[in-house]
Amino acid sequence: MGAYKEPHGGVLKELYLGESAAEDEQQRARDYPSWDLTPRQLCDIELLLNGAFSPLEGFMTQADYDAVLQSMRLSDGTLWPIPITLDVSQEFAEQIDSGATFALRDQEGVLVATLEVSDKWVPDKTAEAQQAFGSTDQLHPAVHYLMNVAGPVYLGGKLRGVEPPTHYDFRLLRDSPAELRGRFRKLGWRKVVAFQTRNPLHRAHQELTFRAAREAEANLLIQPVVGMTKPGDVDHYTRVRCYEHVLAEYPEQTTTLSLLPLAMRMAGPREALWHAIIRKNYGCTHFIVGRDHAGPGDDSKGEPFYGPYDAQDLYREHEQELDISMVPFQMMVYVEDRAEHVPANETRQGEKILNISGTEFRRRLQEGLDIPEWFSYPKVVAELRRSYPPRHKQGFTVFFTGLSGSGKSTIANALLVKLLENGDRRVTLLDGDIVRKNLSSELGFSKEHRDLNILRIGFVATEITKNGGVAICAPIAPYAATRRRVRDVVESAGGFVEVHVSTPLEVCEQRDRKGLYAKARAGIIKEFTGISDPYETPANPELVIDTSGLSPELAAHRIFVKLESMGFIR
Ligand code: PPS
């Protein structure tokens, strides 16, 4: 475990054991209980082990966790804004006592590290959400993750690193903090300004980063996040190909590119400080904070979670202590008369300003519309068009949800036939009963089992969507958070159209085609949706269909028209 001091960058704490100690640990770990790291934990552990999260030496203890939530500091007073915790299942936590050591493995079972447990606790997740993210609104991706994906128990303690998580992609572009500091040293770069991004870069970003470097008289590090970003973001393979094109636009020897396997939390101001600490660990001296840094978008009332310049304000308060200077930036806009991008606060009165928002850009891609040269580089646009063909060439999922007997299966079948008739794509029907017979035959109707059933459907639908097909799913899917998880994964692969079949309970019960409602009322079937089990009404489905007074034919037609208007069908 090394700790050394650099002229800039501060003390770096790498948590890897030396070669022979790592071999011994491998042997010992055969007898340890094992925890399979989740995708987010794999990102966290990589940055803990390689020192990017210095001074952390493991997953947080309860004292550090409490202090971070309350005061953005570790229990020893060091500034640290984001909780880095290891969440596990109840069953796993029951096997582990304080003082025990267990193995942390990747999804293939490869040993990454061991952890000596010093703390085990059940967090108050609502309080955590409020303190860390300033909100309990589940439209915030990190709040949603905390409440619906993260396990219920946290284990804290020091890590002993055995082997870095494996990456097969873009290996030459991945650097540990020590490696990147070494590169800066070799190049003689004394001052380095880092740019964080989770989006493709266009001309405005190039101008912004170049100006930042010029202002700071520094070299430039483009360090995009390739771990976990906001659901719906452009996949990192495509982005990295885009970054490589943009890199060629900078003057030679000024700029370098390195990938950061970070799992973002989208925590706005707190996240900006965290990003800065990480960049300092990578040996940077300056950090760019633009408008709405690491912003999660709007909450369920349509208000932004954080103000556009809150991150800059919080950074300013802590700049001295962070020991990495902020280069603040306003949004960049294009001034047509001057044919250049400038910060929004530097435009002159009467000048014609052009701007394409992220949403508008995505719309143009989806619909195959023109993207002007002043906005982006032709090579970047071509790359994005290749990965994100217009909607009529993408796969998509139609996800029905509604009570038993609401008419989901009937409409789904009618839609299936219409889509087959159209003939554009291959179509797969994942009806509730079909899935329960073929994929989920061992499952019952507890919340846990229903969630597992829906996540399985989501997994299959994602694969179908990714490969350009159409998945029609028709389960009850009573829980909003689980539907949201399915939406998030499917949308990473193509379109997701949620159809709430809203036929009222009375009508479903009156129909009672399978006689199940009668049995549920008599208490013969337990946990029956709508009778003795909840159904959470979708808040924002793409379509709501009540079949009380609508034939399946017409209902399917309405969906078909919706798919046309969204551009999925021509
Ligand atoms: S879930 O909640 O999404 O996992 O449910 P799903 O896989 O769609 O299965 C629902 C079908 O199973 C029958 N069934 C029940 N439904 C609800 N609650 C209970 N307890 C239950 N027990 C059996 C019922 O026929 C559902 O089919 P549909 O097509 O919805 O009527």
Side-chain angles (χ1 to χ4, degrees), residues 178-448:
E179 285 166 345
L180 208 51
R181 288 179 184 204
R183 190 188 314 168
F184 297 156
R185 222 177 8 244
K186 229 177 188 171
L187 291 165
W189 290 8
R190 305 289 301 172
K191 289 206 260 173
V192 181
V193 49
F195 183 62
Q196 137 85 32
T197 183
R198 42 170 264 268
N199 285 312
L201 297 187
H202 304 297
R203 286 187 198 270
H205 302 101
Q206 200 272 344
E207 180 62 32
L208 182 153
T209 50
F210 191 64
R211 276 175 180 245
R214 206 170 48 204
E215 270 172 33
E217 295 177 335
N219 289 93
L220 180 63
L221 168 69
I222 308 284
Q223 199 179 31
V225 173
V226 294
M228 289 168 76
T229 61
K230 203 175 153 199
D233 282 348
V234 174
D235 73 88
H236 82 268
Y237 300 101
T238 307
R239 280 192 291 125
V240 174
R241 291 196 297 271
C242 291
Y243 298 138
E244 286 178 320
H245 293 309
V246 176
L247 205 64
E249 302 293 331
Y250 291 93
E252 252 176 73
Q253 314 292 333
T254 58
T255 305
T256 193
L257 172 67
S258 183
L259 309 183
L260 184 67
L262 175 72
M264 290 181 71
R265 278 28 174 200
M266 309 308 299
R270 276 194 184 227
E271 180 123 354
L273 302 199
W274 185 40
H275 288 174
I277 295 169
I278 295 167
R279 273 32 184 246
K280 183 183 161 202
N281 286 328
Y282 273 95
C284 303
T285 53
H286 295 72
F287 184 60
I288 298 172
V289 182
R291 187 183 180 279
D292 195 26
H293 190 97
D298 289 349
D299 63 18
S300 40
K301 294 197 193 93
E303 303 284 331
F305 279 98
Y306 313 112
Y309 296 103
D310 286 2
Q312 292 183 359
D313 294 342
L314 190 71
Y315 197 128
R316 218 165 269 122
E317 278 174 40
H318 298 279
E319 190 160 5
Q320 197 86 26
E321 193 177 355
L322 281 167
D323 195 23
I324 167 167
S325 309
M326 171 168 66
V327 186
F329 259 92
Q330 290 240 335
M331 196 176 70
M332 299 292 283
V333 292
Y334 185 72
V335 179
E336 198 176 35
D337 303 334
R338 288 195 259 162
E340 65 171 354
H341 284 90
V342 300
N345 58 346
E346 286 179 23
T347 55
R348 301 175 203 130
Q349 234 188 354
E351 276 183 331
K352 185 167 176 209
I353 309 295
L354 300 179
N355 193 24
I356 293 181
S357 69
T359 316
E360 172 61 11
F361 178 70
R362 274 190 295 278
R363 187 186 76 86
R364 290 186 185 210
L365 267 188
Q366 277 163 3
E367 296 180 19
L369 301 176
D370 177 52
I371 292 163
E373 278 231 16
W374 63 261
F375 180 77
S376 195
Y377 304 94
K379 281 187 177 169
V380 169
V381 174
E383 204 65 73
L384 289 168
R385 286 205 200 278
R386 197 151 66 99
S387 298
Y388 296 89
R391 275 183 166 170
H392 65 92
K393 288 192 181 152
Q394 279 179 25
F396 64 89
T397 290
V398 180
F399 191 93
F400 290 95
T401 166
L403 297 172
S404 173
S406 57
K408 304 181 298 289
S409 307
T410 319
I411 312 175
N413 274 294
L415 180 66
L416 170 76
V417 172
K418 270 184 159 306
L419 288 167
L420 289 174
E421 198 178 60
N422 172 271
D424 255 0
R425 300 179 183 80
R426 301 195 177 215
V427 193
T428 306
L429 177 60
L430 298 164
D431 190 22
D433 286 337
I434 302 177
V435 171
R436 286 212 168 247
K437 197 162 150 211
N438 294 290
L439 284 179
S440 293
S441 56
E442 85 286 18
L443 299 182
F445 289 88
S446 64
K447 172 161 194 319
E448 198 192 351

Side-chain angles (χ1 to χ4, degrees), residues 404 408 436 445 450 453 475-478 514 516 526-527:
S404 173
K408 304 181 298 289
R436 286 212 168 247
F445 289 88
R450 286 180 195 263
N453 182 40
I476 295 178
K514 301 181 189 164
L516 296 175
K526 307 262 180 292
E527 299 176 313

